[in-house]
C-alpha cells in the first residue's frame, strides 16, 4: 500500500523512496564502527584464496568475545552463529590460531558453527 512520500509498506516491512532516505536518513547503530551496523546482514565474497574465511571468523569472534576489531571497539557483543559455506574442516584450526593470536580462551564463548 502506498503511504506518505511514495513509501510502500506491508506490516513492518517497508520500502522508502530514495528522496525520503536523503531527507531523513536512519541513524547508524554501529556494531563495529564504520564497518558493520548492528541491524545489518553482511556477506563476504571474493576470489578463492583471498582469506574470506579468516576475515569472517575474525569479525565474528571479535563480536562474540567483545575483543576490539583491529583497534576499533565492538559496541555490543553477543552470540554469533557462523554458517560454514565451505572449508568446514579447516575452521577448527583457524579458531585455535585466532584464540592464540588474541589471547582469548574460546571456552564458554557464545560462538557457534554450523555442521556443514
Amino acid at each position: 500500500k502506498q503511504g506518505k512520500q511514495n513509501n510502500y509498506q506491508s506490516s513492518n516491512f517497508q520500502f522508502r523512496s530514495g528522496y525520503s532516505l536523503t531527507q531523513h536518513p536512519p541513524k547508524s547503530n554501529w556494531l563495529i564502527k564504520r564497518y558493520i551496523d548492528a541491524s545489518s546482514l553482511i556477506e563476504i565474497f571474493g576470489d578463492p584464496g583471498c582469506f574470506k574465511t579468516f576475515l569472517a571468523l575474525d569479525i565474528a569472534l571479535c563480536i562474540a568475545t567483545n575483543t576490539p576489531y583491529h583497534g576499533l571497539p565492538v559496541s555490543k557483543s553477543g552470540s554469533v552463529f557462523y554458517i560454514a559455506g565451505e572449508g568446514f574442516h579447516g575452521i577448527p584450526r583457524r579458531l585455535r590460531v585466532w584464540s592464540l593470536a588474541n589471547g582469548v580462551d574460546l571456552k564458554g564463548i557464545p560462538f557457534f558453527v554450523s555442521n556443514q
Side-chain angles (χ1 to χ4, degrees), residues 8-15:
Y8 294 88
Q9 66 183 43
S10 171
S11 63
N12 290 330
F13 187 81
Q14 60 181 273
F15 288 92

Side-chain angles (χ1 to χ4, degrees), residues 8 17 25 28 35 44 50 53 62 64 67 79 85 89-94 98 102 111:
Y8 294 88
S17 72
S28 293
Y35 289 100
I44 298 170
C50 70
T53 301
C62 284
T67 300
S79 298
H89 297 291
I91 291 175
R93 289 189 305 276
R94 293 173 179 169
W98 187 94
N102 288 280
F111 179 80

